[in-house]
Amino acid sequence: MKLFRFGAIGEEKPGICIDEKMYDVSSYVQDYNETFFEKDGLSALTETLKDDKITLTEIPSGVRIASCVARPSKIVCIGLNFADHARETGAEIPKEPIIFFKSTTALSGPNDNVIIPKNSVKTDWEVELAFVISKKAQYVEEENAMDYVAGYCLHNDLSEREFQLERGGNWSKGKGCDTFAPLGPFLVTKDEIENVNNLKMWLNVNDKQFQISNTDQLIFKIPTLVSYLSHFMTLLPGDVISTGTPHGVGLGFKPPIYLKEGDVMELGIDGLGTQKQKAVNYSK
């Protein structure tokens, strides 16, 4: 299944994509949130859709597409998980996953404007594969880890590099700004993706390609990440885990290239859809 959410900010409803058409399922599902995943909503929705008596309303074109999941309990990100990205930033290739968090208020729709924060001069882009947790995970063994994955989605892990790297403390303050976690358009269930370890990923800025890679280059793959994280924290249903970005971020160029007002980012991962965001300066 390809799940999505749609509607104005604060009024989002759940939907499903069938044969490239977008349908409203809010009569059968409250939202794609922690409760939905905790109660095995994916299986329940699958059974509902088998009923010939149900009717689905196609949503009109032009409706805003929202984040593919409702605000989760946490957004956990993995840093430097591509060797080429570690090298371009001058960092060592990690021996264990590097963990940081994005604030849940950073969550935004895949085509919403990205707000360059107040006083920012180093806002950067990062195309990433993310996945969503299907059930409570504690001390998971790696061989069982995929049982805890609901599906996959596209994520632009936007970053303010001065806040992240030059202001001391934790990376998260350069990662959690408003609109810095566009997610979607779809949450694609595992059965839809033949091999999640072989998906092309790319990102353009103003029609110029800056990032192109493949998920086969991930250092720590999804089973390792689920198991590893679950030994340090409880992962709850609906939590979002973002797996890291390849080379080609603005920070890696000499001189660095950062987003300015009016820049347009386009990005995608095979099978997971595409995003398009315009950068705008913060204003009250």
Side-chain angles (χ1 to χ4, degrees):
M1 291 189 292
K2 289 185 177 180
L3 310 182
F4 69 97
R5 296 169 68 247
F6 67 97
I9 294 173
E11 300 176 2
E12 292 91 344
K13 295 180 179 180
I16 189 166
C17 182
I18 303 173
D19 297 328
E20 306 303 320
K21 293 184 178 181
M22 313 276 268
Y23 295 97
D24 183 344
V25 294
S26 60
S27 296
Y28 309 100
V29 176
Q30 182 180 22
D31 206 350
Y32 300 138
N33 53 18
E34 182 176 338
T35 299
F36 173 82
F37 294 105
E38 185 177 35
K39 295 186 175 181
D40 196 16
L42 289 174
S43 296
L45 181 56
T46 299
E47 291 303 311
T48 298
L49 295 172
K50 291 178 181 178
D51 188 345
D52 294 334
K53 296 178 181 179
I54 71 164
T55 57
L56 298 177
T57 301
E58 189 172 354
I59 69 168
S61 61
V63 171
R64 172 183 176 264
I65 303 302
S67 163
C68 56
V69 295
R71 186 184 296 179
S73 81
K74 50 189 169 292
I75 302 171
V76 187
C77 298
I78 307 301
L80 305 177
N81 201 19
F82 283 74
D84 53 12
H85 174 55
R87 285 192 290 266
E88 75 174 342
T89 63
E92 294 183 3
I93 295 173
K95 296 179 174 59
E96 294 189 33
I98 295 172
I99 301 169
F100 63 91
F101 294 87
K102 293 183 88 81
S103 64
T104 58
T105 51
L107 202 66
S108 63
N111 304 312
D112 292 347
N113 287 343
V114 163
I115 299 171
I116 298 174
K118 184 178 181 180
N119 301 321
S120 166
V121 293
K122 296 183 179 181
T123 293
D124 203 350
W125 57 82
E126 295 189 5
V127 60
E128 300 198 5
L129 168 69
F131 62 93
V132 176
I133 295 297
S134 61
K135 58 185 178 180
K136 185 177 180 179
Q138 293 175 302
Y139 300 106
V140 173
E141 296 300 325
E142 195 166 321
E143 58 267 28
N144 302 321
M146 292 305 293
D147 294 341
Y148 294 81
V149 175
Y152 315 109
C153 49
L154 173 63
H155 176 217
N156 189 356
D157 175 20
L158 287 137
S159 312
E160 211 298 336
R161 301 302 189 186
E162 182 183 12
F163 299 175
Q164 176 192 358
L165 301 172
E166 300 173 34
R167 298 285 297 273
N170 190 279
W171 282 10
S172 298
K173 65 179 158 187
K175 295 284 191 171
C177 305
D178 291 350
T179 74
F180 269 28
L183 200 69
F186 305 113
L187 171 62
V188 181
T189 53
K190 290 182 294 184
D191 58 297
E192 294 272 348
I193 301 298
E194 183 177 352
N195 183 5
V196 74
N197 295 316
N198 186 24
L199 302 178
K200 179 182 175 182
M201 55 198 306
W202 56 272
L203 182 145
N204 298 343
V205 180
N206 301 331
D207 296 322
K208 179 180 178 181
Q209 188 163 83
F210 281 85
Q211 292 187 280
I212 184 165
S213 190
N214 193 292
T215 56
D216 64 3
Q217 296 300 302
L218 283 164
I219 298 170
F220 304 108
K221 302 195 186 305
I222 291 175
T224 300
L225 295 177
V226 173
S227 178
Y228 186 87
L229 291 170
S230 75
H231 282 72
F232 294 97
M233 69 192 78
T234 297
L235 301 175
L236 294 178
D239 281 356
V240 174
I241 317 298
S242 198
T243 61
T245 200
H247 74 287
V249 301
L251 174 67
F253 289 88
K254 300 186 186 306
I257 302 168
Y258 295 118
L259 293 168
K260 61 186 183 302
E261 186 168 43
D263 286 345
V264 175
M265 292 168 284
E266 296 179 82
L267 56 149
I269 296 178
D270 285 352
L272 304 184
T274 61
Q275 300 184 358
K276 184 175 182 179
Q277 299 115 21
K278 181 180 179 181
V280 299
N281 288 335
Y282 168 81
S283 63
K284 286 189 176 181

